[in-house]
Amino acid sequence: MKMLINVPETVVADALRGMAACHPELIVDVENRVIVRRDAPVEGKVGLVSGGGSGHEPLHGGFVGSGMLDAACPGEVFTSPVPDQMVRAAAAVDSGKGVLFIIKNYTGDVLNFDMAAELAEDEGIQVAKVLVNDDVAVTDSLYTAGRRGTGATLFVEKIAGAAAAEGAPLERVESIARRVNELSRSFGVALSPCSTPSKGGPTFELPAGELELGVGIHGEPGRERRAMMTSHEIADYAVQVVVEDLRPENPVLLLVNGMGATPQLELYGFAAEVHRALGERQVAVARTLVGNYVTSLDMAGASITLCQVDEDLLRLWDAPVRTAGLRWGA
């Protein structure tokens, strides 16, 4: 496999050096693996911290900034960050109003964030935690007890980030984050495997002419493999699975997310099919976001995430955000 890297051992550090060079609005601690908004801690504001294994960019470092995360902790590729990173991040963003940890449901992430919360509280930092577990593909998977955390992480970070930016207290920000997770569901499809720098090749086998329905963002197995399907057929399958589980009664936010290697041309074509499939099921779409946001290195494929919203959640979604990976408004 050809990769635009120096050596596998420095991939994450090299990427962090690149973030530091390109985004002066961030403080990027390459040695300690912490990304913090430069104006942190923001007086009177709850701090938001998330993190996870690298390879899912722009999640999470690309979502650090005004209106979203205050800090992110990148681990090695597909490997949880360590508690020291999380404690360092919490200390950097704590204004005295507390810190919310947003955790994708993977065993390593959960254990390390739990330990970090205890250590941070020992240092006098009030910490709340929210677990994201939106993937309806499987109940348990590799690295996971319960449903995996995937695309809804973006919705949680953006909406909770907007609430924090408005000055909401920690209990309110935590409650909103939990609500967004409860109202969100995701499903992903792989057209090709991903390749990690350390392995230098595919992490799993996917025969030519087949696709994986319900794949995880680390290449974990899904529900089943089938012969290649059309965009129309994939949208019908994915939408049906998500809608059956979510049973939305309100309009939804829709994320049509690329897994890393699928071009925007294909994603917008797939988005058209997803809108069609939702319309046929009488599900109204309030907002749509299309692009590569929660990725799996160079995997070809896509996922969809739906989040039911009321007027308040939609207002928070529309609130200004300014990060490397997501920005709109003032």
Side-chain angles (χ1 to χ4, degrees), residues 141-163:
S141 180
L142 299 175
Y143 324 118
T144 306
R147 289 179 168 179
R148 303 175 292 215
T150 57
T153 313
L154 184 151
F155 290 152
V156 172
E157 292 177 355
K158 170 62 184 76
I159 293 174

Side-chain angles (χ1 to χ4, degrees), residues 294-329:
V294 183
T295 61
S296 183
L297 292 168
D298 61 343
M299 182 186 290
S303 64
I304 64 167
T305 304
L306 302 183
C307 176
Q308 289 194 74
V309 289
D310 55 19
E311 289 184 2
D312 188 47
L313 292 182
L314 186 59
R315 179 185 61 79
L316 292 170
W317 174 256
D318 287 339
V321 59
R322 190 167 185 83
T323 70
L326 198 70
R327 57 178 63 202
W328 57 68

Side-chain angles (χ1 to χ4, degrees), residues 103-111 131-132 135 142-145 147-150 216-218 220:
I103 311 161
K104 299 192 306 302
N105 188 31
Y106 296 96
T107 302
D109 290 4
V110 172
L111 292 174
L131 190 68
V132 181
D135 186 1
L142 299 175
Y143 324 118
T144 306
R147 289 179 168 179
R148 303 175 292 215
T150 57
I217 57 173
H218 308 95
E220 305 99 317

